[in-house]
Amino acid sequence: MTTRIKSDWLSGAEAQAVCAMLTSAGYEAWFVGGCVRNALLGAPVSDIDITTDATPETVTELANSAGFHPVPTGIEHGTVTVVVKGHPFEVTTFRRDVETDGRRAVVAYATSIEEDAHRRDFTMNALYAAPDGTVADPIGGLPDLDARRVRFIDDAHARIREDYLRILRFFRFHAWYGDPERGLDAEALAAVAANVAGIDTLSRERVGAEMKKLLAAPDPAPAVAAMAQAGVMARVLPGADPAALPVLVHLEQGIGLAPDAIRRLACLGGEDHMERLRLSKTDARRLNRLLDERGSLAEPEELGYRLGVKDARDVVLLTAALLETPLPEDLEKKLEQGAAATFPVSPRDLMPDYQGEKLGKRLRELEDMWVASGFGLSRDELLAEG
Ligand code: ATP
Ligand code: MG
């Protein structure tokens, strides 16, 4: 029986134009990887990968003559991004892995999807679709996808030694597409445990990007627990403790809050996130604030006033997850009330009695009193404080 995918991106004029550019010149064009996998699962598709027997040079020439915009985004692994009316398509020449330093597979071009499939990581990631949507499955990924089984192609040990990032990808894809009831593939876990030391050779940017994708899954907790069990977490993020993560995810789901990688990272704890995961300045600043504040017993109103609704909500959730306490009643209302409160005393009210450093100190004292009163003390009451 032939399997076919149907999707808006597939029938879209831009995707069809890139395929036609290749096929009309006598080359093959196949959609591959996440776009085919997710179309089969009915999940959203983020980026579209196309694979072909045309070399990157040919892809570039064909794109230029078709009036598209070719960008050599990953020419060392055979990838040209072809941009059609603002839509990017990653076009990669069929490849096979020829040798490896464990960090990055050294590649040669291949002539068929059968060969190309063997250099990919998981069976569910080696599914191809022709321009009309007909699915080709050279290594038997469809039954695994149906069973939601994340499994390495060929020998798990060998695949991991070719590229240690595949260890982290294994947990990421399990979190997103695995069967939570079934647990993780035993052969893969054994191969992971035997090769964990290889993680230390990976660039921190790649590790950080993978961890963020893993932690953005709807429920990453089972995969993260398995990662800790296999000794991966201790290498990626020493000191991280996955125990409270399932509780956090449960609380998030209870209030309909979208997944957030930084909130989940704050739940794991650990050391040197900035350095180990090469977080952006914005992410690092928010993470450090959540790590400093988590466990705080301050009222939600106070947190809302000091941190704003979003961070305050995260702190309350993290604290409830870590201490296994219920969320406060009317949480949103309290957070918003705090965030909307304005301190009624201005520096001018205290001058000229207070100046400079003393003025700052007095303002903070009064602000603390005001917060402690549940924002109840008025300006006059505060100024009357001795
Ligand atoms: P998504 O884009 O939704 O995160 P994806 O499966 O498309 O998932 P990408 O990282 O975009 O993942 O890679 C596209 C495809 O390239 C994968 O499906 C897989 O076939 C292959 N691939 C990517 N990275 C590796 C790797 N490190 N080892 C082997 N194959 C890989
Ligand atoms: Mg992709």
Side-chain angles (χ1 to χ4, degrees):
M1 202 189 79
T2 49
T3 304
R4 269 180 90 140
I5 53 171
K6 263 186 90 163
S7 267
D8 290 346
W9 60 261
L10 176 78
S11 49
E14 294 86 5
Q16 288 298 318
V18 177
C19 293
M21 163 193 109
L22 295 163
T23 54
S24 64
Y27 295 100
E28 294 180 39
W30 298 91
F31 297 101
V32 66
C35 61
V36 179
R37 178 196 65 224
N38 287 17
L40 286 162
L41 290 173
V45 166
S46 52
D47 51 28
I48 298 175
D49 292 295
I50 293 174
T51 186
T52 179
D53 53 346
T55 62
E57 294 71 34
T58 305
V59 172
T60 305
E61 280 166 26
L62 291 172
N64 277 325
S65 13
F68 305 147
H69 183 45
V71 189
T73 44
I75 207 80
E76 70 282 6
H77 23 85
T79 304
V80 177
T81 300
V82 177
V83 184
V84 183
K85 293 198 187 135
H87 295 260
F89 297 88
E90 295 225 330
V91 182
T92 303
T93 307
F94 293 159
R95 280 171 32 179
R96 61 195 159 86
D97 288 346
V98 286
E99 58 177 274
T100 171
D101 63 2
R103 255 181 282 191
R104 213 168 274 274
V106 179
V107 296
Y109 298 134
T111 51
S112 66
I113 57 170
E114 284 72 22
E115 225 180 330
D116 180 80
H118 285 277
R119 68 94 177 164
R120 296 184 181 270
D121 44 12
F122 307 108
T123 56
M124 63 167 65
N125 285 351
L127 296 166
Y128 299 73
D132 70 354
T134 308
V135 173
D137 180 15
I139 43 164
L142 279 174
D144 283 341
L145 185 67
D146 273 344
R148 293 187 164 250
R149 194 181 317 146
V150 182
R151 209 148 60 90
F152 280 101
I153 293 168
D154 305 329
D155 177 47
H157 280 270
R159 304 330 307 278
I160 288 174
R161 276 189 224 118
E162 283 160 5
D163 179 0
Y164 291 108
L165 192 73
R166 291 173 185 165
I167 292 180
L168 301 181
R169 288 175 61 90
F170 171 67
F171 293 102
R172 189 227 312 178
F173 285 109
H174 180 79
W176 278 93
Y177 308 113
D179 174 357
E181 303 298 314
R182 177 199 297 269
L184 291 85
D185 181 67
E187 191 200 330
L189 279 178
V192 165
N195 290 291
V196 275
I199 291 181
D200 299 349
T201 65
L202 294 171
S203 85
R204 297 184 163 186
E205 284 79 6
R206 292 180 91 201
V207 173
E210 264 313 312
M211 282 303 286
K212 278 186 71 177
K213 288 183 192 172
L214 162 66
L215 292 174
D219 182 5
V224 168
M227 241 175 120
Q229 188 81 39
V232 176
M233 198 51 99
R235 302 232 172 221
V236 170
L237 199 56
D241 181 352
L245 188 59
V247 191
L248 176 71
V249 171
H250 183 77
L251 292 172
E252 291 172 354
Q253 289 171 348
I255 60 169
L257 193 61
D260 181 289
I262 300 299
R263 184 195 309 126
R264 273 102 177 254
L265 203 49
C267 184
L268 296 178
E271 299 137 31
D272 298 337
H273 301 82
M274 175 89 180
E275 183 53 31
R276 295 204 157 258
L277 305 177
R278 288 271 194 274
L279 298 177
S280 70
K281 278 219 179 72
T282 316
D283 282 349
R285 211 175 299 131
R286 185 164 151 245
L287 177 66
N288 285 331
R289 189 174 321 154
L290 297 182
L291 285 169
D292 286 346
E293 299 281 348
R294 64 174 214 172
S296 160
L297 297 174
E299 294 296 329
E301 289 91 337
E302 177 182 339
L303 293 169
Y305 172 69
R306 284 201 289 110
L307 307 172
V309 171
K310 184 169 181 280
D311 284 355
R313 187 196 293 122
D314 287 346
V315 169
V316 173
L317 280 154
L318 287 164
T319 303
L322 291 163
L323 306 180
E324 301 203 38
T325 51
L327 289 178
E329 301 265 321
D330 295 324
L331 175 61
E332 285 304 308
K333 216 173 89 193
K334 291 175 177 165
L335 294 170
E336 272 161 34
Q337 208 182 329
T342 31
F343 182 45
V345 177
S346 76
R348 221 172 313 138
D349 296 328
L350 298 174
M351 292 188 321
D353 297 359
Y354 292 88
Q355 306 272 1
E357 237 173 78
K358 279 196 180 141
L359 174 62
K361 189 162 161 266
R362 183 64 182 156
L363 273 170
R364 277 192 299 277
E365 277 170 13
L366 292 179
E367 191 181 24
D368 287 345
M369 265 184 242
W370 171 72
V371 170
S373 76
F375 317 116
L377 290 173
S378 69
R379 174 173 168 278
D380 291 344
E381 285 165 330
L382 286 164
L383 293 176
E385 290 288 333

